[in-house]
Amino acid sequence: MMRLRVEFTTEPFDLEEAPRHAVVAREVVQSAELDAVDVGPFGNTAEGEADGVLTAVDALLRKSLAAGATRVSLQVNVLGEGGEA
């Protein structure tokens, strides 16, 4: 089964408080059926089976844009066995 890793950020940034779109994006990946999720103030990563990651990316884009994101940057990598690229 193909495994994927997605790295993403949403904008605009707010250094004082996490904007609604960032909170929504994090909630999407944290509630998705993924194996690993790491959220941070300037970037987030998640990995898992391809179907789970792609489903999460779809929801992430739709929900974070609806919550006010003006830009979503993401990168998707195919992982080899054991999570290595």
Side-chain angles (χ1 to χ4, degrees):
M1 183 60 80
M2 184 186 326
R3 293 183 50 77
L4 301 175
R5 176 186 301 131
V6 61
E7 301 173 42
F8 68 92
T9 58
T10 61
E11 296 179 37
F13 295 115
D14 182 342
L15 297 177
E16 299 297 319
E17 173 180 340
R20 179 76 186 131
H21 59 81
V23 172
V24 166
R26 291 174 188 160
E27 288 172 351
V28 167
V29 295
Q30 289 174 326
S31 66
E33 293 184 26
L34 302 172
D35 299 331
V37 175
D38 182 26
V39 297
F42 300 108
N44 309 282
T45 61
E47 55 184 73
E49 291 186 13
D51 287 342
V53 172
L54 295 174
T55 298
V57 166
D58 178 61
L60 160 71
L61 291 171
R62 291 175 189 276
K63 292 181 178 184
S64 62
L65 292 170
T70 57
R71 179 178 181 162
V72 180
S73 301
L74 62 90
Q75 177 175 313
V76 177
N77 294 301
V78 176
L79 302 177
E81 289 300 312
E84 294 301 316

